């Protein structure tokens, strides 16, 4: 039986989105850390290095790096390589502004440690529904 | 329950967020309220002006340009006076400076998008030299880091260190979140810096700022023992101090005992804050100087030069001829004043260039075959290395001008 978890967070960009979770245990830098043409995380040594965030619900603690990263997220949306939704433990300016200008639903203050890569996640404004994957978590 | 209740919006603000004033205003309000929530604001405050960074095509790229055009297409218009930070080139003399045609075309498209939004293409990090001097206690949304520091510290206005898009959003929404440096409690000092070193030039001030910024990071330093009687233009020294600390740390506000407007407030110095003593500046000079001897470009005017600084440089250069490239960067309006006063002609006669609308940090220096740079600005020295990979020399205005005359650093 698939287990469903429900979390209530804080709306950063209102909207609804769903998809398979891609969970990063460490912060993500969009400028230089993600290839906007493919959506692949390219930061050397990052736990998700080589994995594409396109169409996924991207789950990570917080953003880091240059403020120009907001425009990287916007460019990913234009290229069709952006995540479908973003969930953070604690949002900061770069990713929040990026999600808003790119039109990507985003919510924060979610206990992200309870979400695993491969879970099916639906965001509806400030609410997050997580259907746990019965399979072993994908290697991220 | 979504925990959005902490931020209280007025009926008008709710309507703007709901899109009743159009999609462009909705987007601006989404940015403003998201940041307000992230940083714990309880309400928004009206802003009197905005200073918008993120203008150079070098930093914006195609994505940034496309975003600005799209926002302008949606009907984005600023509600308060808004001023642009420097662009990637002098809008009139870019060919002379060696800027490629393609870069110029994209840069002009950026300016056009901003202009459609009603923003003045002042293209300067020193809006306070072109008529924008917010009053003590007024709320503004500025983004260039040295301008933020000047507005907060020297003028006593209130602004956070906004990003380009967030300052623009504040200008379009006419508001920003009441958090951070907008609130009294966050304007109190977090560190005391006792200055025991001799400070006698703008370069000394820059070296001091480079050290202090590293010590306090994003704190609010309170300087004691900093004497500015050596200069007739203390504002320029404060401009350099703030710029250096914003580059070596993330300082948005500082106080100088006996000098800056909020330094004398009774509760500005909480008990028990850490105290540092700076006995000499050599570590600061070391941080900003490489082993470089031959200089390609001498760069003055970071932050943008005042009319008085341009005049001083022109007097120094009278009857002399430079061997290196010499750029003195300034606001277009200040350049025009200097032109009328004959100052530009004097500098050009010596082979120097008074460059408007841009600076060495946001111009595409990598396209101009410049490898080494001498400057009197701690900020330019720090960023020329990290942003453009240039070798740097840092010293007084006179040392820099001597290097321009001989081509060598002494």
């Amino acid at each position: 039986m698939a287990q469903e978890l429900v979390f209530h967070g804080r709306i950063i960009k209102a909207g609804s989105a769903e998809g398979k979770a891609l969970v990063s245990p460490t912060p993500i830098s969009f400028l230089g850390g993600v290839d906007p043409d493919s959506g692949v995380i390219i930061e050397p040594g990052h736990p998700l290095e080589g994995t594409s965030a396109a169409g996924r619900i991207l789950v990570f603690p917080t953003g880091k790096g240059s403020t120009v990263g907001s425009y990287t997220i916007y460019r990913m949306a234009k290229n069709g390589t952006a995540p479908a939704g973003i969930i953070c433990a604690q949002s900061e300016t770069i990713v929040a502004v990026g999600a808003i200008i790119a039109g990507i639903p985003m919510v924060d203050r979610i206990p992200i440690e309870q979400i695993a890569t491969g879970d099916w996640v639906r965001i509806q404004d400030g609410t997050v529904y997580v259907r746990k994957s019965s399979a072993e978590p994908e290697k991220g | 329950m979504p925990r959005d209740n902490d931020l209280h919006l007025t009926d008008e603000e709710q309507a703007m967020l709901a899109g009743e004033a159009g999609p462009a205003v909705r987007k601006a309000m989404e940015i403003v309220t998201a940041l307000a929530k992230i940083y714990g604001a309880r309400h928004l405050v009206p802003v009197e002006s905005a200073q918008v960074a993120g203008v150079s095509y070098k930093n914006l790229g195609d994505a940034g340009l496309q975003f600005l055009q799209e926002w302008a297409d949606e009907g984005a218009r600023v509600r308060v006076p808004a001023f642009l930070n420097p662009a990637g080139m002098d809008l009139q003399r870019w060919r002379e400076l060696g800027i490629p045609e393609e870069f110029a075309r994209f840069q002009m498209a950026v300016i056009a998008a901003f202009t459609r939004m009603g923003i003045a293409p002042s293209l300067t990090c020193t809006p306070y030299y072109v008529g924008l001097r917010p009053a003590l206690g007024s709320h503004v949304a500025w983004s260039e880091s040295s301008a933020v520091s000047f507005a907060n510290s020297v003028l006593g206005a209130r602004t956070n260190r906004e990003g380009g898009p967030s300052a623009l959003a504040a200008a379009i929404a006419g508001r920003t979140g009441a958090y951070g440096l907008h609130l009294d409690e966050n304007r109190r000092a977090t560190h005391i810096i006792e200055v025991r070193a001799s400070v006698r030039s703008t370069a000394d001030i820059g070296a001091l700022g480079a050290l202090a910024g590293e010590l306090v990071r994003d704190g609010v330093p309170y300087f004691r023992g900093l004497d500015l009687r050596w200069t007739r233009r203390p504002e320029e020294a404060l401009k350099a101090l703030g710029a250096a600390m914003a580059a070596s740390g993330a300082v948005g506000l500082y106080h100088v005992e006996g000098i800056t407007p909020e330094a004398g407030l009774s509760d500005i110095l909480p008990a028990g804050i850490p105290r540092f003593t700076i006995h000499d500046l050599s570590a600061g000079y070391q941080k900003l100087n490489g082993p470089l001897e031959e200089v390609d470009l001498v760069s003055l005017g970071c932050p943008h030069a005042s009319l008085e600084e341009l005049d001083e440089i022109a007097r120094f250069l009278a009857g002399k001829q430079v061997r290196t490239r010499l750029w003195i960067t300034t606001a277009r309006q200040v350049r025009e004043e200097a032109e009328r006063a004959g100052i530009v002609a004097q500098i050009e006669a010596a082979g120097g260039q008074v460059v408007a609308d841009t600076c060495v940090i946001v111009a595409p220096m990598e396209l101009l075959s410049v490898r080494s740079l001498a400057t009197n600005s701690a900020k330019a020295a720090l960023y020329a290395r990290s942003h453009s990979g240039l070798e740097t020399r840092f010293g007084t205005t006179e040392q820099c001008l001597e290097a321009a005359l001989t081509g060598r650093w002494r």
Side-chain angles (χ1 to χ4, degrees), chain B residues 323-383:
Chain B
R323 293 172 63 136
T324 69
R325 277 201 258 182
L326 167 64
W327 279 24
I328 305 131
T329 44
T330 190
R332 167 77 45 202
Q333 188 179 317
V334 173
R335 189 188 193 279
E336 284 167 359
E337 288 164 27
E339 231 174 285
R340 286 194 291 275
I343 293 168
V344 172
Q346 279 174 284
I347 293 171
E348 284 178 348
Q353 287 173 300
V354 181
V355 176
D357 311 325
T358 190
C359 74
V360 292
I361 293 169
V362 298
M365 301 310 287
E366 63 281 4
L367 305 178
L368 305 183
S369 55
V370 171
R371 292 172 313 276
S372 61
L373 174 148
T375 180
N376 63 354
S377 161
K379 175 179 173 166
L382 286 166
Y383 282 174

Side-chain angles (χ1 to χ4, degrees), chain B residues 33-80:
Chain B
T33 55
L35 299 184
K37 284 190 276 182
I38 290 169
Y39 296 106
R42 307 297 301 271
H43 61 97
L44 305 183
V45 285
V47 294
E48 292 181 9
S49 67
Q51 191 266 352
V52 179
V55 179
S56 173
Y57 178 69
K58 171 185 171 177
N59 299 326
L60 283 169
D62 293 328
L65 168 58
Q66 195 182 351
F67 164 67
L68 292 170
Q69 289 175 329
E70 188 180 280
W71 212 357
D73 288 343
E74 285 173 356
R77 299 294 178 269
V78 296
R79 292 179 178 226
V80 297

Side-chain angles (χ1 to χ4, degrees), chain A residues 38-51:
Chain A
S38 63
V40 172
I41 289 140
I42 54 173
E43 181 182 330
H46 194 278
L48 297 186
E49 186 183 352
T51 312

Side-chain angles (χ1 to χ4, degrees), chain A residues 14-98:
Chain A
S16 57
E18 61 184 312
K20 253 192 190 178
L22 178 63
V23 181
S24 168
T26 58
I28 293 180
S29 164
F30 281 85
L31 181 72
V34 180
D35 172 17
D37 294 326
S38 63
V40 172
I41 289 140
I42 54 173
E43 181 182 330
H46 194 278
L48 297 186
E49 186 183 352
T51 312
S52 172
R56 306 291 289 264
I57 302 294
L58 187 59
V59 182
F60 55 105
T62 191
K64 63 172 182 178
S66 164
T67 53
V68 185
S70 302
Y71 291 128
T72 306
I73 298 173
Y74 175 83
R75 190 159 150 208
M76 291 170 79
K78 292 289 162 191
N79 289 342
T81 64
I86 295 175
I87 297 174
C88 283
Q90 178 63 46
S91 174
E92 46 57 70
T93 305
I94 301 165
V95 178
V97 170

Side-chain angles (χ1 to χ4, degrees), chain B residues 98-374:
Chain B
I99 300 286
E101 184 99 38
E102 193 188 26
F103 183 95
R105 199 168 57 243
F106 286 125
Q107 182 63 72
M108 294 310 288
V110 170
I111 306 291
F114 278 122
T115 309
R116 277 161 65 205
M117 296 185 205
I119 307 182
S122 53
L123 304 173
T124 184
C125 53
T126 58
Y128 41 89
Y129 289 154
V130 298
L132 186 63
R133 288 179 78 93
L136 184 71
S138 59
H139 296 278
V140 300
W142 287 21
S143 52
E144 193 281 321
S145 67
S146 78
V148 165
S149 184
F150 194 94
N152 276 317
S153 314
V154 182
L155 303 178
R158 296 177 173 219
T159 176
N160 284 313
R161 287 165 50 93
E162 299 286 352
S166 71
L168 184 54
I172 293 165
R175 305 159 158 75
T176 190
Y179 63 88
L181 295 177
H182 291 286
L183 305 178
D184 287 344
E185 63 259 36
N186 299 322
R187 298 180 68 84
R188 295 187 191 124
T190 60
H191 300 75
I192 295 175
I193 309 272
E194 294 273 3
V195 183
R196 299 275 167 78
S198 157
V199 175
R200 286 290 173 272
S201 70
T202 306
D204 286 346
I205 280 275
L208 173 67
L211 292 174
E214 237 172 29
L215 289 172
V216 310
R217 295 183 302 274
D218 60 354
V220 179
Y222 179 97
F223 289 90
R224 193 172 262 165
L226 180 57
D227 182 349
L228 296 181
R229 279 175 297 186
W230 53 271
T231 174
R232 283 179 293 116
R233 305 194 301 269
E235 261 197 12
E236 281 166 18
L238 295 172
K239 172 177 80 168
L241 178 64
M245 289 192 291
S248 68
V251 174
L253 166 66
Y254 63 89
H255 305 292
V256 181
E257 192 168 74
I259 294 176
T260 58
E262 288 168 84
L265 296 179
S266 58
D267 57 351
I268 206 75
L269 271 179
I273 57 173
R275 177 189 301 257
F276 297 105
T277 304
I278 294 180
H279 290 282
D280 85 299
L281 302 175
S282 53
Y285 276 98
Q286 262 167 34
K287 241 170 82 76
L288 302 167
N289 265 290
L292 169 75
E293 290 186 0
E294 297 204 11
V295 174
D296 293 335
L297 172 70
V298 173
S299 164
L300 307 173
C302 169
H304 274 171
S306 67
L307 188 63
E308 293 77 14
E309 285 173 280
L310 287 169
D311 185 44
E312 191 175 83
I313 294 161
R315 286 171 196 274
F316 182 96
L317 291 174
K320 303 188 176 101
Q321 199 61 38
V322 300
R323 293 172 63 136
T324 69
R325 277 201 258 182
L326 167 64
W327 279 24
I328 305 131
T329 44
T330 190
R332 167 77 45 202
Q333 188 179 317
V334 173
R335 189 188 193 279
E336 284 167 359
E337 288 164 27
E339 231 174 285
R340 286 194 291 275
I343 293 168
V344 172
Q346 279 174 284
I347 293 171
E348 284 178 348
Q353 287 173 300
V354 181
V355 176
D357 311 325
T358 190
C359 74
V360 292
I361 293 169
V362 298
M365 301 310 287
E366 63 281 4
L367 305 178
L368 305 183
S369 55
V370 171
R371 292 172 313 276
S372 61
L373 174 148

Side-chain angles (χ1 to χ4, degrees), chain B residues 13-24:
Chain B
E13 288 161 356
Q14 292 280 8
M16 290 163 73
L17 185 58
E20 288 173 27

